[in-house]
Amino acid sequence: MRVNLLDLTMEGLEAFVIHELKAPRFRTTQIWKWLWQYDVRGFEGMTNLSKAMRAQLPQIASIDWPETVDLRTSEDGTVKFLLRLTDGKLIETVLIPGAQGNFTQCLSTQVGCAMACTFCNTGLMGFERNLTHGEILGQILVARRHIRDRDLQPLKRLVFMGMGEPLNNLDTLLDSLKSMSSDIGLDFSWRRSTVSTVGLPKKLKILGESGLALPAISLHAPTQELRAKLMPVAAQVPMIELMAALDAFPMKPRERITFEYLLLKGVNDSLDHARQLADLLGQRRCKVNLIAYNPTEDMPYDAPEREQVLRFEKLLWDRGMTATIRRSMGADIKAACGQLKADHQS
Ligand code: SAH
């Protein structure tokens, strides 16, 4: 089996260079730069390696980028990629344009998801497998190449908010966060990345101790009872335990935990729900990000009325909280979680 070099951390690559390639240690940073800074996809391009090494490498190693099988650009500038992995599995990643024309990329961490949230397309598919280091970071390589080829605005932020539950792929997530901050590689500082999660206390603790990223918590309900209806697997963790884990999350003075609250018409979008949410979060160091449900066929939910979303937000403001409404992007290209893949498979 040839090893995909994109699956190796810096330490892993060093071990490969020394033990497999039988080459001196300094070759590690040379190869790392070719992979992550200059995005070469073949060994011939690694011009500072010896000819012998360039001939030897393809026999024991490969550079496997995810392959783009569908690409859709929305009128609002959102770009959605459907990517095929080496075993044929499909994942999605999205580039979302910001106000200044910078892009935020939404990354997947698993094929499918075990959380089975009742409103989520990916949840409907069930869990298939975790993504590897190379598959998580390969999404960035693909998107950055797209941006460079078209001279678009740079990629500024990364959010782990695509398919899958990132904390269920924790070791690889942490390796990926570390690798992408390499200043001779992708060069993303962790302050520009957010890990969106249903909130798993033991794993949140490890994420906190790593100091590598801040979480955004998919709360979606102000009470345990309602949350259990919407997110049956996630809610196996009682809300009290989740809140305790978040209260203990190490943060610098100006940092905040983000709570995501998906608004489903007639389900969790009343002003009573908003009051309960304010009771729960009002005293916490946090901000609330309200998300209008992006509807998919065959799901028993509807998008909330725009007016209701504004009223919900205003109530939180009146209670002194920081709340924002997430702009909905890319509806014309099926940009919500799992929609494009579902489209392809039907
Ligand atoms: N598993 C992680 C990350 C992936 S989901 C998590 O739960 O946070 C990313 C976000 O998209 C979550 O907040 C999820 O609840 C939300 N989401 C899923 N389906 C959606 C839809 N149809 N419309 C709007 N948001 C959706």
Side-chain angles (χ1 to χ4, degrees), residues 31 45 88 118 193 210 218 259 276 310 316 321:
I31 296 176
T118 56
S193 51
S210 80
S218 293
F259 286 95
Q276 290 174 319
L310 294 172
L316 299 181
M321 298 176 63

Side-chain angles (χ1 to χ4, degrees), residues 271-288:
L271 292 186
D272 270 336
H273 292 117
R275 265 178 225 111
Q276 290 174 319
L277 188 64
D279 289 342
L280 179 70
L281 300 181
Q283 300 307 314
R284 295 190 146 91
R285 257 174 69 191
C286 68
K287 52 191 175 198
V288 176

Side-chain angles (χ1 to χ4, degrees), residues 131 156 192 205 250 252 256-257 272 289 293 309 312 323:
L131 296 190
K156 270 283 152 68
R192 286 183 283 162
K205 183 159 187 285
K252 305 215 172 74
R256 299 257 177 292
I257 295 213
D272 270 336
N289 196 205
Y293 174 61
V309 177
F312 199 104

Side-chain angles (χ1 to χ4, degrees), residues 106-107 109-110 113 115 117 119-122 160-167 195-199 216-220 231 234 260-264 291-296 299 326 336-339:
C106 179
L107 298 168
T109 52
Q110 298 183 315
C113 183
M115 289 291 130
C117 296
F119 46 80
C120 177
N121 256 76
T122 306
F160 292 84
M161 228 174 252
M163 305 171 89
E165 169 47 52
L167 294 192
V195 173
S196 179
T197 172
V198 298
I217 305 296
S218 293
L219 193 64
H220 305 340
M231 309 168 72
E260 298 165 276
Y261 192 99
L262 178 66
L263 290 158
L264 304 160
I291 310 164
Y293 174 61
N294 189 335
T296 343
M299 292 240 168
R326 184 175 300 172
C337 190
Q339 286 181 343

